[in-house]
Amino acid sequence: VPEIGCLSIIVLGASGDLAKKKTFPALFHLYCQGFLPPNEVHIFGYARTKISDDELRNRIRGYLVSERSASPSKDVSKFLQLIKYVSGSYDAAEGFQTLDKEISKHETSKNSLEGSSRRLFYLALPPSVYPSVCRMIRRYCMNKSNLGGWTRIVVEKPFGRDLGSAEELSSQIGELFDEPQIYRIDHYLGKELVQNLLVLRFANRFFLPLWNRDNIDNVQIVFREDFGTEGRGGYFDEYGIIRDIIQNHLLQVLCLVAMEKPVSLKPEHIRDEKVKVLQSVLPIKDEEVVLGQYEGYRDDPTVPDHSNTPTFATVILRIHNERWEGVPFILKAGKALNSRKAEIRVQFKDVPGDIFKCKKQGRNEFVIRLQPSEAMYMKLMVKQPGLEMSTVQSELDLSYRQRYQGVTIPEAYERLILDTIRGDQQHFVRRDELKAAWEIFTPLLHRIDNGEMNPIPYQAGSRGPAEADELLEKAGYVQTHGY
Ligand code: BG6
């Protein structure tokens, strides 16, 4: 049953980068598709800077128009009219009291519709202010309608720096809000091909008998970017590639690749299975880690001269359970590499009794390309067309652009924000999941922070350190042509 009544979306940190580049554009696209009806919805920007409504609108305007928006100028102006700005600090009552007054004003004017009041607080802010902001929301800005409704908060990574700090943050927020009110975003969970993983694995008879240690030799989950930390060096240097990408985005993908079939599609059932996978991961061994830092990274004025923060890492995880024992899950992420790509590569074992002597031509491999150009393809052996009985490696290819022409694939943030409005937590990280994820990486991160493990320099625009390819080979990955 669709909820009626007014919906207030409050973007805290409204003048920051995340809000401008991701949150407001996602809201705009939802608006254009009719998910944010103007007679119900109002959007509030909140930040410390003292600016007018129009100034905020002008700052956002340039980020809204993309290939995605069909009739830009008209829609943009209408959308911007829904936005109001309130300035205030993140730890004092005054700003939040004003914010509450503004929201209530909007609710009274719209509640002639008779309905509940829904308040969605999106914290596009650094985690250091999460506790104080949550306290302020709890004290001054909760939904007060006696017609029902809800108050929800959305938070972004990094949720802490290690197990201890993440747990502290979780308890601080947990004292103020219940788990069903907290939406921890990992935007990789909003990507089309990540969401497709459950369907692929559990709705296809093909994969059911093959998806295990008897048939799969190794799994790679790879993230590459062909640009450095330009402009974000200060933030990045504090966190590094493991906290920025691997502990969250790649690990979430690993969960969906490795988990058992959930009892149902209920969010709790899915998240229960993800937690089990995380809890089955063995401690990481030093010899199964390669760290790198691209040359030129320290030239960024916001990066300390002697920084040993990795901008590249390959880490092998081993899942200690019946399905996966002995299968390395190779997580690899790097900045300033030779291409921009995120993909999952599932490599199968060799065929026993190789009568074609085709082993050297490569193995069966199933590749799921998350971006760019979403695709799934299967590398397999076929007879080389012609008179000879020789073999060649070929591909069964499902490229989304070709197969689903005219279908617009939604942006991750767009989908996830819609889920928060609908109250669907399936694609959000639960507290115990977060804890289990930090448990896996905290010992390694502490060793890096203490200078006990140092990154190997690599050239910007390269594949990363050669040692990472050696580790891959040692783990059993067989490189095929074209990769
Ligand atoms: C963010 C990281 O979470 O994800 C960035 O902080 C990274 O460093 C970005 O660039 C990558 O996201 P996407 O969707 O472009 O792969």
Side-chain angles (χ1 to χ4, degrees):
V1 182
E3 289 174 288
I4 52 157
C6 55
L7 169 64
S8 307
I9 301 174
I10 304 99
V11 181
L12 298 123
S15 52
D17 241 33
L18 176 68
K20 279 190 301 204
K21 293 187 181 154
K22 300 288 184 192
T23 322
F24 284 116
L27 291 172
F28 175 57
H29 288 133
L30 289 174
Y31 167 81
C32 291
Q33 293 167 86
F35 290 112
L36 304 180
N39 61 340
E40 288 177 26
V41 177
H42 215 93
I43 299 169
F44 298 87
Y46 184 95
R48 282 176 304 195
T49 334
K50 287 203 164 58
I51 49 171
S52 66
D53 293 349
D54 278 339
E55 274 169 289
L56 177 71
R57 292 171 187 152
N58 288 335
R59 286 185 188 195
I60 299 166
R61 188 186 301 271
Y63 293 93
L64 301 182
V65 186
S66 71
E67 310 135 27
R68 301 247 2 236
S69 35
S71 52
S73 50
K74 197 173 90 239
D75 289 349
V76 167
S77 314
K78 280 200 202 146
F79 170 74
L80 288 173
Q81 285 314 308
L82 294 180
I83 304 177
K84 227 183 141 25
Y85 182 72
V86 177
S87 80
S89 80
Y90 294 123
D91 54 3
E94 205 189 329
F96 286 88
Q97 285 168 326
T98 315
L99 181 62
D100 181 61
K101 257 191 229 142
E102 290 297 328
I103 303 173
S104 305
K105 232 195 269 172
H106 153 70
E107 287 173 346
T108 343
S109 70
K110 299 280 156 99
N111 258 351
S112 46
L113 273 174
E114 259 202 21
S116 57
S117 113
R118 295 168 285 159
R119 295 185 175 194
L120 181 65
F121 291 87
Y122 192 111
L123 276 61
L125 291 167
S128 52
V129 297
Y130 287 174
S132 70
V133 167
C134 287
R135 252 194 316 277
M136 292 295 130
I137 296 173
R138 178 82 230 177
R139 205 168 293 161
Y140 302 108
C141 299
M142 299 297 280
N143 154 43
K144 299 167 199 66
S145 163
N146 45 19
L147 292 166
W150 45 253
T151 302
R152 292 181 186 143
I153 61 158
V154 182
V155 287
E156 279 266 350
K157 67 138 224 281
F159 308 107
R161 289 184 51 76
D162 57 8
L163 181 60
S165 51
E167 274 294 279
E168 197 184 321
L169 193 58
S170 289
S171 354
Q172 285 171 334
I173 300 179
E175 277 166 23
L176 301 163
F177 293 95
D178 296 331
E179 191 62 25
Q181 296 177 295
I182 307 170
Y183 287 72
R184 296 179 194 86
I185 278 202
D186 183 312
H187 80 281
Y188 265 60
L189 292 176
K191 292 193 185 270
E192 182 66 39
L193 265 66
V194 174
Q195 298 204 340
N196 184 48
L197 283 167
L198 281 191
V199 180
L200 195 72
R201 288 197 49 208
F202 301 118
N204 288 296
R205 187 69 194 228
F206 277 147
F207 295 116
L208 295 181
L210 294 183
W211 213 257
N212 56 43
R213 63 193 295 270
D214 299 334
N215 300 290
I216 292 175
D217 189 90
N218 60 77
V219 178
Q220 274 188 79
I221 304 172
V222 184
F223 167 95
R224 303 157 174 271
E225 262 176 359
D226 55 0
F227 48 90
T229 55
E230 293 103 21
R232 294 174 75 222
Y235 151 81
F236 187 88
D237 198 71
E238 261 190 60
Y239 291 94
I241 198 78
I242 296 178
R243 292 184 179 94
D244 191 45
I245 304 287
I246 299 183
Q247 180 268 354
N248 34 72
H249 303 329
L250 301 195
L251 198 58
Q252 284 295 323
V253 173
L254 175 142
C255 287
L256 295 167
V257 171
M259 67 189 247
E260 296 301 318
K261 189 174 185 163
V263 175
S264 78
L265 289 178
K266 287 201 182 118
E268 295 324 323
H269 288 157
I270 292 172
R271 300 192 297 177
D272 287 347
E273 293 306 330
K274 287 167 72 189
V275 173
K276 282 189 212 156
V277 174
L278 294 172
Q279 289 173 339
S280 308
V281 173
L282 294 172
I284 298 168
K285 293 191 185 130
D286 284 0
E287 61 275 23
E288 295 201 316
V289 177
V290 171
L291 305 175
Q293 187 186 77
Y294 68 85
E295 288 160 358
Y297 168 70
R298 297 179 195 174
D299 297 345
D300 181 332
T302 56
V303 171
D305 292 344
H306 300 290
S307 162
N308 78 333
T309 299
T311 59
F312 174 101
T314 298
V315 180
I316 298 184
L317 297 189
R318 304 210 171 246
I319 302 169
H320 184 61
N321 68 15
E322 209 173 310
R323 187 186 288 273
W324 295 118
E325 180 154 338
V327 181
F329 280 74
I330 305 155
L331 307 190
K332 183 157 104 180
K335 299 249 170 202
L337 297 178
N338 54 351
S339 60
R340 175 171 179 263
K341 202 185 264 187
E343 61 185 10
I344 306 164
R345 305 184 77 92
V346 180
Q347 190 169 74
F348 288 83
K349 290 183 190 276
D350 292 324
V351 172
D354 176 21
I355 55 171
F356 296 103
K357 311 228 174 334
C358 62
K359 202 163 141 182
K360 283 209 191 80
Q361 286 176 304
R363 284 172 162 173
N364 285 160
E365 200 166 342
F366 180 43
V367 184
I368 302 164
R369 191 164 65 230
L370 311 180
Q371 63 190 41
S373 314
E374 292 85 351
M376 287 187 270
Y377 56 95
M378 233 175 225
K379 287 175 174 270
L380 74 179
M381 300 306 289
V382 298
K383 178 184 162 303
Q384 170 81 55
L387 292 175
E388 304 303 325
M389 188 48 146
S390 57
T391 54
V392 67
Q393 194 176 56
S394 193
E395 284 162 15
L396 277 178
D397 196 348
L398 173 62
S399 157
Y400 273 44
R401 207 175 281 166
Q402 278 171 12
R403 183 69 181 80
Y404 299 110
Q405 281 175 23
V407 177
T408 309
I409 296 182
E411 281 287 323
Y413 278 95
E414 199 176 318
R415 222 189 281 261
L416 295 174
I417 293 176
L418 187 59
D419 284 347
T420 62
I421 297 170
R422 291 174 167 166
D424 181 353
Q425 289 193 308
Q426 172 176 335
H427 304 294
F428 294 82
V429 181
R430 202 167 67 185
R431 179 173 172 174
D432 53 348
E433 224 178 314
L434 178 66
K435 177 168 184 262
W438 278 117
E439 271 164 357
I440 296 171
F441 284 100
T442 296
L444 171 63
L445 288 166
H446 283 174
R447 283 178 53 59
I448 300 171
D449 292 347
N450 296 337
E452 291 161 38
M453 288 178 87
N454 287 304
I456 302 164
Y458 63 93
Q459 224 185 352
S462 71
R463 284 178 58 83
E467 286 81 348
D469 283 335
E470 287 159 22
L471 178 62
L472 219 68
E473 221 172 289
K474 240 194 265 164
Y477 182 73
V478 176
Q479 197 136 328
T480 50
H481 59 93
Y483 173 52

